[in-house]
Amino acid sequence: MENGFVDCHCHISAREFEEDLEEVIQRTIEAGVQTLIAVTEEVGEFDRVLQLSDRYPGLVAPCLGLHPLQACGNLEQRSVKPEDLESALPLFYKHRDRLVAVGEIGLDFTPWCAPTAQDREDQLAVFIQQLHIAKELDLPVNVHSRSAAQVTIATMREQGVSRALLHNFAGRPSVALEAVKAGYFLSFPPAICTNQQRAKLIKQIPLEHICLETDSPALGPDKQVRNEPRNIFMSCQYIADVKGVSSQTVQQATTNNAYRLFTRARKM
């Protein structure tokens, strides 16, 4: 079971994959990826990710969640508001038996995305409500934190969340170790391969708390090129190089970690 990769955070329901999804999935399988933990950002994506899990059973493991930033036309983004959750709430419960996690949820306090205190309060309210849903449904959470790592981790601990993945973690090593202490996992996409800061961070995180992700179609090795789940081997190799172990060691450890966290994905 643990011979392949698990992509712990990808957007396989994204529009960028609509044209050639079959080929993308074929390349994913050929690259040895056995599970795609597929997250959503907006309620409009919920159906699509569930359809994909029907179409590719055993490969696409669906998560439902509202991202802290929501689209508002022409590439503009705004902070999520509590009312955005209204149409999503019944869907978490309706599909509870199919979900492997609640995600992508979290906090994004980047100044131009959340310029006001109200924005940050709204994000926090939506995040906490989704943490409650995850606990109620006995599911882990798949979490985004940008310019908000400390608050994100503190909030999860305060809410009694014990199972979480912090995706594309870019906080300070001391903050990462807080997450480790809480029992959380941290994952890294192929874009880290060119980032020296991230190497210092990865060095300090025990392999038992690391997962692999692509965040495809974003965060690939080349900013201008669409990322795909097949690129997961790049994260694996990079982490292996930083830690001075074999890529097979990293692959096995991260896959074990992924199934320890996303227990339902193992049974799919």
Side-chain angles (χ1 to χ4, degrees), residues 167-220:
H167 106 92
N168 185 33
F169 191 81
R172 294 191 306 278
S174 60
V175 181
L177 293 173
E178 282 297 307
V180 167
K181 209 158 75 182
Y184 304 151
F185 294 86
L186 300 93
S187 60
F188 301 95
I192 56 164
C193 301
T194 54
N195 187 321
Q196 280 314 300
Q197 282 305 107
R198 221 66 82 85
K200 290 177 192 164
L201 176 65
I202 289 164
K203 249 193 188 110
Q204 295 197 39
I205 302 168
L207 193 50
E208 298 74 43
H209 287 268
I210 293 178
C211 289
L212 302 179
E213 65 157 296
T214 60
D215 198 27
S216 49
L219 299 187

Side-chain angles (χ1 to χ4, degrees), residues 35-178:
T35 304
L36 297 175
I37 307 289
V39 295
T40 63
E41 294 188 348
E42 300 178 355
V43 72
E45 266 186 287
F46 285 15
D47 271 352
R48 172 105 171 121
V49 88
L50 292 165
Q51 283 163 12
L52 291 179
S53 77
D54 286 337
R55 189 164 150 196
Y56 303 106
L59 176 68
V60 175
C63 310
L64 299 184
L66 289 196
H67 191 282
L69 302 180
Q70 298 288 293
C72 61
N74 283 352
L75 301 175
E76 291 290 308
Q77 287 185 310
R78 61 162 175 83
S79 272
V80 71
K81 296 181 180 349
E83 49 269 32
D84 294 320
L85 251 186
E86 284 166 17
S87 56
L89 282 176
L91 300 172
F92 287 108
Y93 296 97
K94 181 180 176 185
H95 301 293
R96 62 192 298 164
D97 295 333
R98 301 183 58 188
L99 305 182
V100 299
V102 170
E104 173 176 3
I105 66 174
L107 300 172
D108 195 318
F109 291 171
T110 317
W112 56 89
C113 296
T116 70
Q118 187 61 55
D119 288 331
R120 296 189 284 278
E121 275 172 39
D122 284 346
Q123 284 191 24
L124 205 48
V126 172
F127 182 38
I128 288 171
Q129 202 168 348
Q130 291 185 100
L131 293 176
H132 287 174
I133 292 166
K135 282 180 67 185
E136 197 181 330
L137 302 182
D138 193 25
L139 290 170
V141 287
N142 206 320
V143 177
H144 170 104
S145 73
R146 196 163 56 157
S147 304
Q150 226 158 354
V151 188
T152 303
I153 293 162
T155 303
M156 291 196 295
R157 294 185 81 162
E158 281 158 20
Q159 300 302 322
V161 170
S162 58
R163 294 185 294 152
L165 177 81
L166 288 149
H167 106 92
N168 185 33
F169 191 81
R172 294 191 306 278
S174 60
V175 181
L177 293 173
E178 282 297 307

